[in-house]
Amino acid sequence: MLNRKDLLGLEDLTKEEIVTILDTASSFKEVLERPIRKVPALRGKTVVNLFFEPSTRTRISFEMAEKRLSADTISFSQTGSSVSKGETLKDTAKNIEAMEIDAIVIRHSESGAPHFLARNLDSVVINAGDGSHEHPTQGLLDLLTVREKKGNLAGLKMVIIGDIAHSRVARSDIWGFTKLGADVSICGPSTMIPAEVEKFGVRVHTRIEEALEGVDVVNVLRIQLERQGQPLFPSVREYAKLFGIDGEKLKRAKSDCIVMHPGPINRGVEIDNEVADGAHSVILGQVTNGVAVRMAVLYLLVGKSAPFLPLEEGEKDH
Amino acid sequence: MKPLREKAKILDEEGVRRVLTRIAHEIVEKNGGTGHLALIGIRTRGVPLAERIRKMIAAFENKELPMGTLDITLYRDDLELISPQPIVKRTDIPFNIQDKVVVLVDDVLFTGRTVRAAMDELIDFGRPREIQLAVLIDRGHREFPIRADYVGKNVPTSRKEIVHVELKEEDGVDGVTIEEPVEP
């Protein structure tokens, strides 16, 4: 059961809630393989996608999930909207809610923006990435991908490589994977490792060879070149040499390891072509699972938003 | 919910076997053989019933019919009435239903809403030549104009009563009982 109005992050979800979402997503994968890839579960519901930050795959993935469930969807981007006229986030959201909608999916560059909306709106709020805080549906699709490939998550060794300090994906993955019993470590240049990160229950490596030793899962984060105004490493070439994942470095991981990447990929920087397109890569599977996970989250949160009417005495489903 | 007590035993293990055998024969007879036939069980208890009918037809016709399972959770028009958050399970139809005579199988026919949802879902998979319906128990109280082609047993009930079907595959035993609420 998912006993909550909103999905804001994996930090406050219980292990049972995460498993419920993953189980539901597994069932929805079958819907994506049908001749007609659409079910009427959210017919009559309206979902608004508020994307205050550029996004291609997350936004398309959410829109596709909404349409596969027969919800009505409206997508909004900051450019060309009243936000550029100075309207506050709260006013924008309140006005949209006044049009009788059921849910808002929000991506925002400020950490905590979805939490702020969740407190101020009656509608369901789903976090599609907030600043460097969390990206819960990405964390869930990573969990689903690993569970599909490896079965149980308990005891699996996973390493997350890259800019941990600025990565909302890393944060959601750390919460999700540790809750499900995986042994998580992180690796990156020391300038990209947040202070006191060990408190989250992860081990820290700054040498990639050490970090990759015997791991089952390698999650390679994107180096945000567009945010490198004040670079956290001397040069892209040096980063690629020290931390970029190529076939040679990957030999240290288990022979049946899987390699993930949240995309978009900087080929030749954080990951080489031979790895990104190689036998260990599950990167495109992650994208497919993204739609299934978002369908599950929408179904579990928005599908139950109608008032619950208890069964009449003795009434039974048939 | 008030406690329930058993009012009547409708079918025991032998009774279940007997009515399923009759249904299996009726399906083959009505369709003039097994050509074009396929069975689809509606989760949860329709699935083992469809599997048993399939085995029976295989035994006396020497033909394995294609079989699938349907989870109608996403197609119910009254999801919130069933439970606050129904668990979605997989639908699995591993064959093309185009031009097939599909026999839907379920344990109890009551309001007809499950069957309506099952038909809605099924036609999203293609265009079957015909859809037929087989149920172990028809307890009446239809809310939609739906009738079954094959009925194991017609059981008149009041709306307050509950028809309780148990199958070995799900519950460890076979049997059908009517239960009624205990009045104070």
Side-chain angles (χ1 to χ4, degrees), chain A residues 1-2 26-28 30 34-36 38-41 299-300 303-304 306 308-309 311 313-314 316-318, chain B residues 1-2 73-76 80-81 84-86 88-91 107-108 110-112 114 121 124-125 161-162:
Chain A
M1 289 291 285
L2 214 56
S26 294
S27 296
F28 277 125
E30 175 269 315
R34 291 183 185 188
I36 295 178
K38 200 175 178 74
V39 290
Y299 170 74
L300 291 169
K304 69 163 184 181
F308 170 53
L309 305 170
L311 285 175
E313 193 81 51
K316 194 166 176 267
D317 148 37
H318 275 296
Chain B
M1 192 166 167
K2 288 177 191 164
T73 310
L74 299 168
Y75 282 75
R76 286 288 297 216
E80 294 89 4
L81 292 174
Q85 209 164 70
V88 183
K89 297 212 172 109
R90 273 181 176 251
T91 284
D107 56 350
V108 180
F110 182 21
T111 61
T114 295
E121 180 163 12
D124 276 356
F125 283 83
E161 291 163 345
I162 285 179

Side-chain angles (χ1 to χ4, degrees), chain A residues 51-71:
Chain A
F51 277 68
F52 292 93
E53 233 188 26
S55 163
T56 307
R57 79 201 64 211
T58 304
R59 180 166 152 172
I60 290 177
S61 184
F62 265 110
E63 282 185 27
M64 196 161 291
E66 290 149 10
K67 289 182 197 307
R68 296 278 185 253
L69 292 169
S70 305

